[in-house]
Amino acid sequence: MIKGLGVSHAKTILLGEHSVVYGNPAIAFPIMGLTLKAKAEHAEGENWLSTPFHEGVVLPKAMAGETLEQRLAETALRNVLKWFAADDKNIQVNVSGLIPPARGLGSSAAVAVAIIRAVADLFGAELSDVEQFNLVQSVEKVAHGTPSGLDAHATSTRVPIWFENGQVKPLKLLTKPALLVADTGVPGHTAEAVSIVRKKRQENFQQVTKDFDKIAELTYEAGASLEDGDFENLGQLMTYNHRILQTLGVSNNKLDRLVDDSLRGGALGAKLTGGGLGGCIVVLGKNSESLPALKENLFAAGAKTVWDVFEPRSAEV
């Protein structure tokens, strides 16, 4: 039987959260060891979808009582079938792998990318970058309302990217930074965090604009530091970015503890990654040899899972 295959992965934002929503730049890295794989095939009967979160028939429209994860996956399948004018086709899609949801890792976009790519492959079609982006964004709007588009790009490209005003370009690296992503184990709340920042901006436009301008400045400098391999400076920029996010009200005690303990444990820099109010932090080590000790320190500080950004392995308590 003919099957279509689609793969996607998680992402981490190195600098630029929240500011990116207002047209400023952000830097994102793929987490290649944290992937999703989708398999699509023609089937008899109704459309069927199996993911790590649910399994069942895909109805023509969303129904009350669905979880967000279920709604996102079903929306991806409905929209890609509509794109190919294949609403009358019966398709079964199985998604394997697990990117924890609500952690700032791009799980909703990654699910959409994997499903959309699998269905396109089943039909023997190759979507353009723009076509795939538009389909993924249709799912991201269900998840986040007004997404910047960063996750749609970052979960489908295999290289670090620079994202600004909806435009994306590959980021040049002199050498790979030693990066870890650590999960607090507490779900993040992106919509709430975005709402908090929006409210602060409405109440004190001048100050929040100043904060965003500073984040943009840090991000530009971070891009140059990555190109030069100046990781000492990159780490300082990341930590500075976290302190601004604290003042914007999108961090919390668990995130701050992981950041502060990472710095005390020898990290060059650390910050929350993603929407905040839970979720994950990204940590920069001096080199790859420093990462095992940093992982131990993160677990001691309360991290539930730690992923290497550039290595296909993870560790859990």
Side-chain angles (χ1 to χ4, degrees):
M1 181 179 292
I2 298 175
K3 292 185 178 181
L5 302 177
V7 179
S8 62
H9 50 259
K11 62 84 176 129
T12 182
I13 300 177
L14 201 63
L15 286 96
E17 290 91 344
H18 291 286
S19 176
V20 70
V21 176
Y22 296 89
N24 289 316
I27 294 171
F29 277 66
I31 306 176
M32 298 307 301
L34 193 53
T35 62
L36 291 178
K37 296 180 180 179
K39 295 181 180 180
E41 57 188 304
H42 295 287
E44 297 180 359
E46 299 174 282
N47 290 327
W48 184 271
L49 186 61
S50 175
T51 78
F53 302 104
H54 79 289
E55 182 174 0
V57 172
V58 179
L59 299 174
K61 62 180 181 179
M63 302 296 290
E66 291 182 339
T67 64
L68 177 60
E69 290 78 22
Q70 180 178 356
R71 186 176 300 117
L72 296 176
E74 292 184 350
T75 299
L77 181 55
R78 291 190 196 99
N79 288 2
V80 70
L81 290 175
K82 183 177 181 180
W83 176 267
F84 285 111
D87 302 74
D88 59 336
K89 304 294 184 183
N90 295 317
I91 305 296
Q92 177 175 316
V93 179
N94 292 276
V95 181
S96 60
L98 178 62
I99 298 174
R103 295 299 197 278
L105 301 177
S107 63
S108 60
V111 166
V113 170
I115 291 173
I116 289 164
R117 284 178 167 176
V119 173
D121 187 44
L122 178 66
F123 291 154
E126 186 172 343
L127 295 169
S128 70
D129 290 343
V130 172
E131 290 170 336
Q132 178 180 283
F133 174 79
N134 288 336
L135 283 168
V136 176
Q137 278 295 86
S138 71
V139 179
E140 283 289 271
K141 289 175 181 177
V142 175
H144 303 301
T146 54
S148 67
L150 174 60
D151 284 11
H153 288 294
T155 56
S156 59
T157 181
R158 299 178 62 86
V159 298
I161 61 171
W162 178 275
F163 182 86
E164 185 174 8
N165 273 323
Q167 301 299 310
V168 63
K169 65 178 181 180
L171 195 64
K172 298 178 181 178
L173 302 181
L174 182 65
T175 56
K176 291 180 179 179
L179 292 171
L180 298 173
V181 171
D183 185 4
T184 63
V186 177
H189 300 278
T190 298
E192 182 181 349
V194 170
S195 178
I196 288 172
V197 173
R198 184 185 299 116
K199 184 177 179 181
K200 281 182 176 290
R201 187 169 180 264
Q202 292 170 346
E203 293 173 347
N204 195 341
F205 181 83
Q206 185 174 2
Q207 179 58 52
V208 173
T209 298
K210 183 179 179 181
D211 289 337
F212 284 169
D213 288 345
K214 187 61 182 179
I215 291 175
E217 179 184 327
L218 297 174
T219 306
Y220 281 112
E221 189 174 347
S225 293
L226 282 165
E227 290 186 0
D228 296 338
D230 186 354
F231 296 142
E232 292 277 353
N233 190 54
L234 177 63
Q236 294 176 18
L237 299 170
M238 290 169 59
T239 304
Y240 195 164
N241 191 168
H242 181 74
R243 302 310 178 200
I244 297 175
L245 292 170
Q246 284 178 307
T247 65
L248 289 172
V250 296
S251 190
N252 65 13
N253 290 336
K254 287 186 177 292
L255 290 165
D256 292 341
R257 179 183 177 186
L258 288 185
V259 167
D260 293 341
D261 281 14
S262 294
L263 297 173
R264 284 192 290 267
L268 296 179
K271 58 179 284 295
L272 70 83
T273 183
L277 300 179
C280 298
I281 71 165
V282 58
V283 179
L284 176 65
K286 295 178 180 178
N287 48 48
S288 58
E289 288 74 21
S290 71
L291 296 186
L294 284 175
K295 287 180 184 178
E296 289 185 13
N297 189 68
L298 284 163
F299 285 130
K304 301 305 179 185
T305 311
V306 180
W307 296 276
D308 294 81
V309 170
F310 288 108
E311 295 294 334
R313 59 176 182 268
S314 67
E316 298 183 5
V317 295

